[in-house]
Amino acid sequence: MDAKTVERWVHKGRVPHPRHRVAAAAVLGEAVDVLWPEAVRRAVKTGADREIVALFPRRADLPRTFFRDMIVGARERLWFGGYTSYFVWLEVPGAAATLGTKASDGTDVRFLLGDPESQVTTQRDRIEATPLTLSTRIELTRAEIAKSGAPIPMRYSDRHIGMSVWIFDDDAVVATHIGAGLGQESVTLHLRRRGPGGAFDRYVEHFESLWESSREQ
C-alpha cells in the first residue's frame, strides 16, 4: 500500500478496505477486531436496531416474491394486520389455497381488517380519493379468504388505519402510511426477531392488542 494511505489509517482514523484489513492484521499478528473494532461493530449490529433486516421507502419496493416467500415459509403463524391486505391476492398466486392449506395444517392464520362501517374508513376514503375504496378492498379480501376452504378468523378494527403489521413466524413487515398515499406507498420495515423485548416483540404486542379489542365477524 502507499505509505500515505497507511498514514491515514493510523493518524486520521480511516478504515481500510476489508481485504486490506485482513492482510494488515496478518502482517501485524493481531485480530482484525482489535485493530478496527468500530468497523466490526458497524458490520455486526449489536444495538436496538439489530432486528431491522431492511428498510424500503415504499412497500412496492419489496422484492416481487417477498410476500409469497413469507407465506410459503411460515409454519406457526401468519397474521395479516393490513387495513385491507388486498395486495396479497394480486401479488401472491394461489394465496387463498395456500392459506387454506396452512390453516388446515395448524398454522395460526388471522386477518385483522379495517372496519368498513367506521367513520375512520369513510374519512380515509375521502383522503385517498381512489375509485377502489377501502370498503371494496376489504370485501374483496373477505371473498378471497372464503375461497380458502378453511375457517380463517377475521376481525374488524379501525385503529390500524395508519400502520399495517404482518407477522410471519419470526419475521414482520411494518408499513407506515404517508399522507394521502395508498398502502403501496408506505414506508416499510422488514424485521426479524433476535431476542425477547425487541422491536419485533413490540409489534407482536401491538397486533395482539388490536386483535383483542377488535370486532368479531
Side-chain angles (χ1 to χ4, degrees):
M1 297 298 297
D2 181 82
K4 291 184 178 179
T5 299
V6 177
E7 184 181 3
R8 285 193 287 270
W9 296 351
V10 176
H11 296 294
K12 295 188 177 181
R14 299 289 178 84
V15 178
H17 186 279
R19 66 187 177 90
H20 295 148
R21 293 202 297 267
V22 172
V27 170
L28 296 171
E30 284 284 3
V32 172
D33 59 347
V34 172
L35 296 172
W36 292 284
E38 184 58 32
V40 175
R41 280 195 292 270
R42 288 203 300 265
V44 181
K45 291 183 178 180
T46 58
D49 65 340
R50 68 194 180 108
E51 294 191 331
I52 300 176
V53 178
L55 184 149
F56 302 88
R58 296 170 181 79
R59 196 194 69 213
D61 295 331
L62 269 74
R64 180 173 295 182
T65 63
F66 181 88
F67 280 95
R68 183 194 69 188
D69 294 342
M70 288 289 106
I71 290 172
V72 170
R75 294 290 180 269
E76 297 179 2
R77 59 184 169 189
L78 284 158
W79 294 356
F80 295 84
Y83 212 74
T84 73
S85 290
Y86 171 66
F87 71 93
V88 171
W89 323 110
L90 302 178
E91 297 182 8
V92 182
T98 301
L99 291 172
T101 300
K102 293 279 186 180
S104 297
D105 290 344
T107 303
D108 181 4
V109 183
R110 311 182 198 178
F111 275 82
L112 180 67
L113 301 174
D115 189 340
E117 299 177 8
S118 169
Q119 288 300 313
V120 173
T121 303
T122 302
Q123 179 60 27
R124 183 64 191 180
D125 272 331
R126 293 195 190 102
I127 294 171
E128 292 186 357
T130 179
L132 193 62
T133 65
L134 289 168
S135 296
T136 300
R137 281 175 271 162
I138 292 167
E139 187 56 37
L140 288 169
T141 288
R142 292 190 62 200
E144 289 294 329
I145 294 172
K147 297 176 185 178
S148 69
I152 295 175
M154 293 178 283
R155 293 189 180 183
Y156 285 150
S157 175
D158 62 12
R159 292 175 56 198
H160 59 311
I161 188 68
M163 183 175 70
S164 298
V165 177
W166 298 275
I167 309 290
F168 309 99
D169 286 349
D170 283 346
D171 284 88
V173 179
V174 180
T176 304
H177 300 187
I178 299 296
L182 301 177
Q184 64 188 10
E185 298 169 10
S186 302
V187 175
T188 301
L189 281 173
H190 174 201
L191 302 173
R192 182 169 295 138
R193 190 176 192 272
R194 301 296 186 189
F200 176 90
D201 283 355
R202 297 298 310 280
Y203 282 115
V204 168
E205 293 169 6
H206 168 74
F207 183 99
E208 290 176 328
S209 174
L210 292 178
W211 185 262
E212 290 302 317
S213 64
S214 60
R215 178 164 66 89
E216 294 188 27
Q217 296 196 34

